[in-house]
Amino acid sequence: MSEREQAKQIIDQLPDYKISNILMFLKGVQYDDDIEDDIFCERLAEKYFNDPDPEKEQSITIEELAKDLGIDL
């Protein structure tokens, strides 16, 4: 039996008055994942903005990228 199945089995056996506590806990765990994603993105942006490489501002069109990769649009 998988861990997910075990968790569902335990939840199914809990009395209704405990379900709200489990729900709050699960939402908290989900919220932590969202925070970690936000922190990752912030660090990625910081790294980009603090990168001294002068070529970081250069860009190409999607057509140029496709051509470089040998993709026909």
Side-chain angles (χ1 to χ4, degrees):
M1 178 181 297
S2 73
E3 290 179 340
R4 180 180 297 272
E5 291 169 332
Q6 290 177 34
K8 287 178 181 179
Q9 188 177 36
I10 291 170
I11 290 170
D12 287 342
Q13 295 172 358
L14 290 174
D16 287 342
Y17 73 92
K18 290 188 176 183
I19 297 299
S20 63
N21 293 337
I22 296 297
L23 186 58
M24 285 190 310
F25 172 76
L26 292 172
K27 286 182 179 180
V29 170
Q30 181 181 24
Y31 183 70
D32 286 348
D33 287 345
D34 293 342
I35 289 173
E36 289 176 18
D37 288 347
D38 290 346
I39 290 171
F40 173 79
C41 291
E42 287 172 10
R43 287 185 182 152
L44 192 61
E46 262 181 46
K47 185 178 176 182
Y48 174 78
F49 290 125
N50 293 328
D51 184 356
D53 185 356
E55 293 185 13
K56 75 176 184 185
E57 300 293 331
Q58 293 181 358
S59 63
I60 61 172
T61 66
I62 189 79
E63 291 80 11
E64 291 172 311
L65 176 61
K67 182 180 177 185
D68 289 347
L69 296 174
I71 299 171
D72 292 326
L73 294 180

